[in-house]
Each structure stands twice: as structure tokens, then as C-alpha cells.
Amino acid sequence: MTPRELVALINRKAAEEGTPPAPVPSRRDTFKAGDPDTPITGIFTTGMTTFNVLRRAVAAGRNMIIPHEDTYFRDNDVTDFLGDDPIYLAKKAFIEQNKLIIWRNHDLAHRMRPDQLFAGQLRTLGWT
């Protein structure tokens, strides 16, 4: 399966389970890096795409990363303002060298009922 196929499946299942469609196309829930038509070798989910997460995913042999928050330090993942920032360039190079695919899952998780992040926090705190 490819990341593009997986994202289509996630969206289809969410719709079947009653998740309302996005009111406008999401600028968040998009592919942020990599080739979405590459076969998936494993999936790594995370709150944030930190360098540590990237290294752990590679060490585990997983090439698809699904974070909730942005990859490049801004909500819309626009990188123009970063220019020659060495941290940005190192992160970008690491993603490219390891052929990682990043698809952000933000808006969909919050449209689901119950909100998936809120439900997870309640479960973790034992408040369910």
C-alpha cells in the first residue's frame, strides 16, 4: 500500500463513521514531504515531527510518518522564512536522504466525534 492509498482509506473510513467533511480543503492535512506513491515499509505516528522522531522512524524501518502538528515550525508548513537555517536544512536533508513520507493528520482528527486528541488525553488521564 502507498501513503496516498492509506490516506484515501483513512478519509473514506472516517466518512463512513460519520466524520463531517472538511468545510474547505485542508492546508494542514496534506503531504509535507516525500513521494506519496512509494510503498509503505512501516508507519510512525507522533504529535510532532522532531528530529528524534525522524531518527527513531528510520531506525525502526518505517518510512511513513503521520504527525499531528506541523513539520517545519509553522502551522501551514511554509518554509520561505527559514532560508538557510541550519536546523531546517538538516531536517529537510534527513527526510530526503531517508526517503521519508510525511502526511499531517490535524484537521481530520479534530473533526472526528469524539475529537481523537481530546479522547486520547481523557483516556491517558484516566478520566473516561
Side-chain angles (χ1 to χ4, degrees), residues 11 14-15 18-26 107-108 111:
N11 286 319
T19 300
V24 295
S26 177
D107 295 348
L108 174 62
R111 281 197 324 275

Side-chain angles (χ1 to χ4, degrees), residues 1-11 30-43 63-66 99-104:
M1 176 176 280
T2 69
R4 188 182 313 278
E5 292 167 336
L6 177 62
V7 169
L9 177 62
I10 290 169
N11 286 319
T30 62
F31 287 100
K32 304 302 178 184
D35 179 1
D37 296 313
T38 300
I40 295 171
T41 62
I43 300 168
N63 67 341
M64 183 172 182
I65 300 172
I66 303 176
K99 297 180 176 32
L100 298 175
I101 304 104
I102 299 173
W103 175 70
R104 184 176 178 194

Side-chain angles (χ1 to χ4, degrees), residues 89-105:
L89 294 175
K91 189 176 192 182
K92 185 174 183 275
F94 187 86
I95 290 167
E96 290 170 358
Q97 289 164 1
N98 290 284
K99 297 180 176 32
L100 298 175
I101 304 104
I102 299 173
W103 175 70
R104 184 176 178 194
N105 180 9

Side-chain angles (χ1 to χ4, degrees), residues 73-119:
F73 320 113
R74 263 197 186 163
D75 185 50
N76 59 8
D77 275 309
V78 171
T79 58
D80 297 349
F81 76 104
L82 292 167
D84 291 333
D85 180 87
I87 304 264
Y88 161 68
L89 294 175
K91 189 176 192 182
K92 185 174 183 275
F94 187 86
I95 290 167
E96 290 170 358
Q97 289 164 1
N98 290 284
K99 297 180 176 32
L100 298 175
I101 304 104
I102 299 173
W103 175 70
R104 184 176 178 194
N105 180 9
H106 183 277
D107 295 348
L108 174 62
H110 287 302
R111 281 197 324 275
M112 297 175 89
R113 295 293 172 253
D115 178 305
Q116 296 297 286
L117 277 85
F118 188 61

Side-chain angles (χ1 to χ4, degrees), residues 36-51:
D37 296 313
T38 300
I40 295 171
T41 62
I43 300 168
F44 212 87
T45 61
T46 183
M48 297 184 73
T49 313
T50 65
F51 230 128

